[in-house]
Amino acid sequence: MGIGEFKLGHCANVEFPTHCIAPVIRLAQPLILLAAIISAAAAPAPDAAVNFNREVLPILSENCFRCHGPDEKAREAKLRLDTQDGLLRTQNPVVLPGKASQSELFKRLVTKDANDVMPPPKSKKMLTSAQIETVRRWIDGGASYTTHWAFTPPVRPTVPAIANPLDAFITARLAKEGLRPAPEAPRETLIRRVTLDLTGLPPTPTEVEAFLADKSPKAFEVVVDRLLASPRYGERMVWEWLDAARYADSNGYQGDQERTMWPWRDWVVRAFNDNLPFDRFTIWQLAGDLLPEATRDQRLATGFLRNHMINGEGGRIAEENRIEYLFDQAETVGTVWLAATMNCTRCHDHKFDPFTMRDYYGLVAFFNQTPVNGGGGSPQTAPVMDFTTPEQEMRLKAHGDDVKRLGDNVDKLELTVFPRPEGKPSSDSPSVKDYPAEPFGALKQKGASRNLTQLRSLAKFRADKEPREHALLLDQLAKAIEARDDFNKAIPRVMVMEDMKQPRDTFMLVRGAYNKPGEKTTAAFPASLTQSASRNLESGQQSLTSSPTNRLDLARWLVSPENPLAARVTVNRFWQQFFGTGLVKTSEDFGVQGEKPSHPELLDWLATEFTRTGWDMKQLVRTIVTSATYRQSSKDAPLAADVRRRTGSDTLYQLDPENRLLARGPRHRLPSWMLRDQALAASGLLVEKLGGPPVKTYQPPGIWEEATFGNKRYVQDKGEALYRRSVYVFWRRIIGPTIFFDVAARQTCAVKTPRTNTPLHALATLNDTTYVEAARALAERVLLSGNATDDIRLEHAFRLTTARKPNTREKQVLSASLARLHAQYAGDKEAALKLLTVGESKRNEQLDLASHAAWTGLCSLLLNLDEVVTKE
């Protein structure tokens, strides 16, 4: 980062501010050689044939498929343009290969007759002249047809034998554009980048020094292997999976009862740390309970499917709830493993992709066999796995004993308070015949069998009546029952999957309405993805698509060679995680309306490499982060003169602001949860403890109360719970943790979260209790570090936050800020004390008040630098 231009990171309007522009001094040596080898071959032929998949299909999809696509009910003129048989039909042909001017399809595009032109004027769609020319060239060139790229099996391309084949594809694309890769990032930047990416935490000064001192060619790989072996790795990698799995610590909807799914979250962390192969990772979560002699972990893994919201609002129809849960499960699987917008087929065939309503309910049928009936709003609806410990069993028994004792006391007293025939309930006493309905209803039950509403109503009614002991006992019993129930609900019972012995029928639902069953259907894979399955099977291999019956069949098919999507979709999300954008930008949609891959051969190579290595997730991650592409500097650079003339752009950023060509390294703001963890780590407050129940950290008062109409009250935790990693922070479904921004709502499956840029972000990182306390603790850490001078202390604070040493000019700017802050707080001890009492942790009273406050202000500045809130 250049000096004299310290910036609050959230206020930067672009990813590459001008102070980052620098000439390219050197090139990554392996990429120079590779570029020289393939640059000649990379240049496109001037008269290259039109690629149907990339150039023509998007035009047809956008402008024609709504009326001439997969949805049979919406199809007009019995014309289908989304299949080869329809587009190139021989009876009443609309395309005559080699003869565009005679083809009905082309004539309809260029006619001036408003009654014949396509798309029709009422559609508000119109092809550009360039698009029309593309269609003409395609037809005149022979009208070759290929299936949509995502629905064909990935083919492993041939690459040069270099250290990391991944780089070959990037360099080839750059050569086509007349570009070269950026030089490797400075080593301090590189270790900070990869440490944040693989652990979610910054490197320590000791780790940075060790990397700088290691001059071996394998030094960076040693760092990567160390990070992959760290328990912090699983805590970082789990984030995107929790978003996709819609994990939260409550049900959602207005009641939003708390649930105890956190043992499943801890299992996912362990699975990443243990490097469970992705195919098993898939099978366990979708059907672990159906495996032979299923283990506890395999059954626990199926909690993935039960992470959906649960509606416990009054008046809801149980069957309607149950169907909604099935929809959620089917659509989540469609998004995570197929990148398919299956929700579009709930009520009708897909308008653009070859997925039908029958495909949708074929998926639903796999999940329609659990005993869940949709009734009630219990966050521990069976089937569940009980994680009660022996200590909890003892405490639960003690609570039960208290309730029984107090209930017996109430019953004994009521024998005299409400005289009635022996064996009859208190409600049969003549003395209660005029009682209001609610207190009267309570008296129909024995004391310990009354619910809280009944007990409190009766206690209130009896409060001014004799004997006063009765109301007091009722109140004590209510508190004992509440304590028992609260403790019981806090015992982790994880909702999991389990099929009924008697299969349940599945019906296609008219317009998706739970009470309008249509045609009966059975479990089945999407037909369009299975039609060509046999062509992707090895000789003698039996297809999985013949007669699927349960979730285990589905899970095995998803990660089989018969499914062309799962490997591509998964490696694309990993790429998105490290580079900010996937090779397919629309990571949630690989259909014809989604974006085409920027580097299709690379996507296929990664997918085939992923399966070749046994779905090894750590190996995939290692391949990506050890590549020269990942290690590039993220700084902007001026373009060569010929490129400037050809493109009209002066810099790389102007030419490719989203870095889709990957001519530079990844650079974007850290996710908000990582900003919090980084601040805690730099300050020394972070408590590194794996797993356990969710924690309630700092939050402004009244948030839960307002969101739940007063039904839920936020009680902040104390002690080390305040400083646990963000992955363990309690996530209420209807109002997420207030310290996080740009995060998934966790209400439905999300595989791509937004990244926005507003001053509100800085208001959080400058003023939230967590960040102010972290700045204070960081200041204390620096002041107590043993460094004798402010100059050395400044360097120490700077390294803790940026991983590098400040240059001379930066030290001058920081020293001036420190002096100004010291003068301010020396003259206002009250303001200094107010600043230093923010947060629950105790400050070292031996430190000078004004000095500590001044350093706190400076550390807050450092934590908010553009360089610190950004992965560079």
Side-chain angles (χ1 to χ4, degrees):
M1 179 174 177
I3 189 57
E5 299 189 53
F6 283 111
K7 298 172 66 178
L8 292 182
H10 308 285
C11 298
N13 291 320
V14 296
E15 286 194 64
F16 293 88
T18 55
H19 67 259
C20 290
I21 298 176
V24 176
I25 300 173
R26 60 188 177 88
L27 292 172
Q29 295 302 320
L31 296 184
I32 297 175
L33 176 61
L34 185 58
I37 293 173
I38 63 178
S39 59
D47 297 320
V50 176
N51 184 303
F52 175 81
N53 223 324
R54 292 178 173 280
E55 300 176 75
V56 180
L57 183 58
I59 296 173
L60 299 178
S61 171
E62 179 64 28
N63 297 281
C64 309
F65 282 9
R66 185 168 293 278
C67 299
H68 304 291
D71 188 353
E72 184 177 1
K73 294 180 180 179
R75 198 176 302 143
E76 297 184 7
K78 298 182 179 180
L79 175 61
R80 187 169 186 178
L81 301 179
D82 65 303
T83 65
Q84 184 173 8
D85 291 342
L87 182 60
L88 300 179
R89 68 189 188 186
T90 55
Q91 290 187 338
N92 299 320
V94 293
V95 173
L96 299 174
K99 302 176 182 179
S101 62
Q102 299 177 39
S103 297
E104 188 66 23
L105 175 67
F106 183 73
K107 289 193 289 185
R108 288 298 188 102
L109 298 180
V110 296
T111 182
K112 303 299 182 182
D113 189 331
N115 293 320
D116 290 340
V117 69
M118 289 291 163
K122 66 180 181 180
S123 71
K124 307 298 183 183
K125 293 180 180 294
M126 181 181 295
L127 271 67
T128 65
S129 57
Q131 290 174 321
I132 293 173
E133 175 63 12
T134 296
V135 174
R136 185 197 65 75
R137 288 175 51 228
W138 171 67
I139 298 175
D140 281 343
S144 63
Y145 184 94
T146 52
T147 303
H148 178 57
W149 66 270
F151 303 146
T152 59
V155 177
R156 188 176 180 85
T158 302
V159 294
I162 61 172
N164 194 329
L166 180 159
D167 297 314
F169 302 99
I170 303 300
T171 309
R173 177 67 190 279
L174 292 178
K176 288 181 181 180
E177 304 292 337
L179 301 173
R180 291 182 173 182
E184 187 169 285
R187 299 194 98 195
E188 297 93 336
T189 300
L190 204 52
I191 189 173
R192 180 175 183 267
R193 178 190 297 173
V194 75
T195 305
L196 286 168
D197 268 345
L198 297 188
T199 69
L201 298 173
T204 66
T206 301
E207 291 168 344
V208 175
E209 287 297 333
F211 178 52
L212 296 179
D214 188 349
K215 304 302 182 183
S216 71
K218 300 289 187 180
F220 186 67
E221 293 180 23
V222 170
V223 169
V224 170
D225 289 340
R226 171 178 59 80
L227 296 173
L228 290 173
S230 168
R232 298 170 172 177
Y233 170 80
E235 291 178 314
R236 185 268 168 271
M237 297 300 290
V238 76
W239 264 94
E240 284 76 7
W241 195 255
L242 296 184
D243 288 345
R246 63 267 190 262
Y247 171 84
D249 298 302
S250 67
N251 281 350
Y253 297 100
Q254 183 175 331
D256 208 19
Q257 293 188 55
E258 289 82 3
R259 56 173 57 173
T260 53
M261 296 295 286
W262 58 264
W264 173 84
R265 174 250 287 153
D266 289 352
W267 172 83
V268 183
V269 173
R270 293 198 304 275
F272 276 111
N273 279 334
D274 295 343
N275 199 25
L276 184 69
F278 186 78
D279 55 347
R280 290 163 60 192
F281 186 70
T282 295
I283 291 169
W284 289 20
Q285 291 185 87
L286 299 185
D289 59 304
L290 299 178
L291 289 169
E293 299 181 2
T295 66
R296 187 174 175 85
D297 272 359
Q298 287 168 340
R299 292 184 59 227
L300 172 61
T302 64
F304 171 88
L305 289 169
R306 300 292 304 280
N307 275 321
H308 56 74
M309 298 170 71
I310 291 179
N311 193 335
E313 295 177 355
R316 283 287 294 189
I317 300 170
E319 180 65 4
E320 185 177 11
N321 285 341
R322 191 184 74 82
I323 295 299
E324 286 293 335
Y325 304 158
L326 297 177
F327 288 167
D328 174 274
Q329 291 168 341
E331 291 167 15
T332 296
V333 169
T335 299
V336 172
W337 280 275
L338 304 175
T341 51
M342 297 304 295
N343 56 306
C344 295
T345 58
R346 184 188 292 190
C347 305
H348 51 73
D349 292 347
H350 207 288
K351 299 293 185 183
F352 305 102
D353 296 329
F355 300 126
T356 65
M357 191 172 171
R358 183 176 297 278
D359 290 333
Y360 184 89
Y361 288 95
L363 276 182
V364 166
F366 286 110
F367 310 109
N368 193 29
Q369 307 307 323
T370 66
V372 174
N373 62 20
S378 171
Q380 296 178 338
T381 302
V384 297
M385 287 182 67
D386 197 314
F387 284 80
T388 309
T389 65
E391 179 187 357
Q392 288 172 326
E393 288 180 352
M394 291 177 60
R395 291 182 60 188
L396 190 60
K397 183 179 183 303
H399 279 296
D401 291 344
D402 284 345
V403 170
K404 184 178 183 306
R405 175 178 55 81
L406 290 168
D408 289 345
N409 291 342
V410 167
D411 293 340
K412 183 177 179 181
L413 180 61
E414 288 184 358
L415 288 174
T416 57
V417 175
F418 307 118
R420 73 274 189 185
E422 186 177 351
K424 297 293 183 178
S426 299
S427 57
D428 278 15
S429 174
S431 63
V432 302
K433 62 180 181 180
D434 295 326
Y435 273 34
E438 202 163 31
F440 181 81
L443 294 173
K444 293 180 179 180
Q445 311 286 334
K446 283 187 171 293
S449 298
R450 296 166 189 166
N451 62 41
L452 289 177
T453 301
Q454 291 173 328
L455 283 169
R456 286 167 178 160
S457 173
L458 182 59
K460 183 178 180 180
F461 181 75
R462 294 281 306 173
D464 58 352
K465 296 176 176 59
E466 295 295 341
R468 299 298 176 92
E469 180 188 1
H470 183 227
L472 181 62
L473 270 177
L474 290 171
D475 185 59
Q476 291 175 348
L477 178 58
K479 290 179 179 177
I481 289 176
E482 184 175 35
R484 179 201 63 190
D485 292 350
D486 286 347
F487 183 79
N488 190 44
K489 286 188 292 186
I491 293 175
R493 295 182 182 89
V494 179
M495 295 181 289
V496 293
M497 296 295 285
E498 179 182 292
D499 283 357
M500 301 182 298
K501 293 181 180 179
Q502 182 65 36
R504 182 189 281 124
D505 289 337
T506 301
F507 298 89
M508 297 171 63
L509 301 178
V510 179
R511 301 187 67 82
Y514 79 96
N515 59 349
K516 293 185 178 180
E519 184 182 346
K520 184 177 178 180
T521 190
T522 57
F525 310 138
S528 62
L529 298 181
T530 60
Q531 289 167 352
S532 61
S534 59
R535 295 197 297 270
N536 196 39
L537 295 177
E538 298 177 3
S539 178
Q541 187 175 353
Q542 186 176 358
S543 173
L544 296 171
T545 63
S546 54
S547 56
T549 59
N550 59 26
R551 286 177 285 110
L552 185 56
D553 292 332
L554 173 64
R556 286 172 171 163
W557 172 78
L558 284 170
V559 290
S560 76
E562 300 181 47
N563 176 18
L565 284 162
R568 279 188 180 122
V569 167
T570 304
V571 300
N572 187 66
R573 285 202 303 269
F574 275 101
W575 190 274
Q576 173 183 269
Q577 182 173 319
F578 296 118
F579 286 91
T581 303
L583 294 169
V584 178
K585 186 176 181 180
T586 52
S587 53
E588 76 287 0
D589 183 7
F590 272 40
V592 296
Q593 288 290 99
E595 187 182 277
K596 307 303 176 286
S598 58
H599 299 74
E601 294 83 8
L602 172 57
L603 181 63
D604 276 6
W605 182 82
L606 286 170
T608 55
E609 181 70 3
F610 191 32
T611 57
R612 186 190 70 81
T613 58
W615 300 86
D616 188 325
M617 289 193 278
K618 283 191 177 181
Q619 180 58 44
L620 173 64
V621 169
R622 192 180 192 278
T623 297
I624 293 174
V625 301
T626 58
S627 67
T629 301
Y630 176 84
R631 299 197 312 267
Q632 293 178 103
S633 169
S634 64
K635 289 185 177 181
D636 196 4
L639 296 172
D642 62 321
V643 180
R644 290 202 302 272
R645 287 192 298 271
R646 175 166 51 85
T647 64
S649 300
D650 293 326
T651 68
L652 191 58
Y653 178 78
Q654 291 177 355
L655 177 68
D656 183 21
E658 293 186 353
N659 197 25
R660 302 305 307 282
L661 297 174
L662 297 162
R664 58 183 185 272
R667 185 186 193 277
H668 49 79
R669 196 204 62 232
L670 300 177
S672 56
W673 64 264
M674 195 180 290
L675 290 176
R676 176 181 176 273
D677 287 356
Q678 174 181 246
L680 292 176
S683 68
L685 288 172
L686 183 68
V687 173
E688 296 192 55
K689 175 184 175 183
L690 280 170
V695 297
K696 297 184 179 72
T697 185
Y698 300 115
Q699 180 169 293
I703 300 294
W704 279 18
E705 290 81 352
E706 182 174 347
T708 63
F709 301 97
N711 292 323
K712 302 295 179 182
R713 187 169 64 90
Y714 190 81
V715 180
Q716 177 193 298
D717 284 331
K718 302 290 184 181
E720 69 173 22
L722 296 172
Y723 313 110
R724 298 284 308 281
R725 291 201 65 172
S726 296
V727 71
Y728 302 116
V729 171
F730 189 97
W731 201 293
R732 180 162 290 289
R733 187 94 63 168
I734 62 172
I735 179 72
T738 56
I739 196 171
F740 300 146
F741 47 84
D742 288 357
V743 290
R746 302 275 178 91
Q747 296 181 354
T748 56
C749 172
V751 293
K752 186 172 69 174
T753 52
R755 186 181 302 121
T756 62
N757 193 7
T758 80
L760 294 176
H761 302 162
L763 291 177
T765 56
L766 283 167
N767 299 296
D768 187 272
T769 301
T770 294
Y771 290 100
V772 176
E773 183 179 27
R776 170 169 66 80
L778 176 57
E780 185 169 310
R781 181 179 182 181
V782 169
L783 288 169
L784 296 175
S785 62
N787 296 314
T789 66
D790 280 351
D791 191 61
I792 299 176
R793 294 185 188 118
L794 281 173
E795 181 176 299
H796 185 47
F798 200 85
R799 292 183 67 198
L800 286 170
T801 50
T802 69
R804 68 177 179 87
K805 296 179 181 179
N807 60 36
T808 302
R809 176 62 180 140
E810 287 167 339
K811 283 185 178 180
Q812 291 173 351
V813 173
L814 292 171
S815 295
S817 296
L818 181 63
R820 184 174 63 254
L821 288 165
H822 195 281
Q824 173 186 334
Y825 286 116
D828 192 347
K829 295 296 181 67
E830 184 178 345
L833 186 60
K834 183 178 180 180
L835 174 66
L836 297 176
T837 54
V838 172
E840 298 281 336
S841 62
K842 301 299 181 183
R843 90 174 193 92
N844 189 324
E845 300 289 344
Q846 302 302 313
L847 295 175
D848 176 73
L849 197 67
S851 178
H852 193 183
W855 275 96
T856 297
L858 186 75
C859 288
S860 178
L861 181 154
L862 291 175
L863 289 172
N864 281 274
L865 288 178
D866 181 59
E867 182 175 0
V868 175
V869 302
T870 303
K871 181 182 82 172
E872 295 200 323

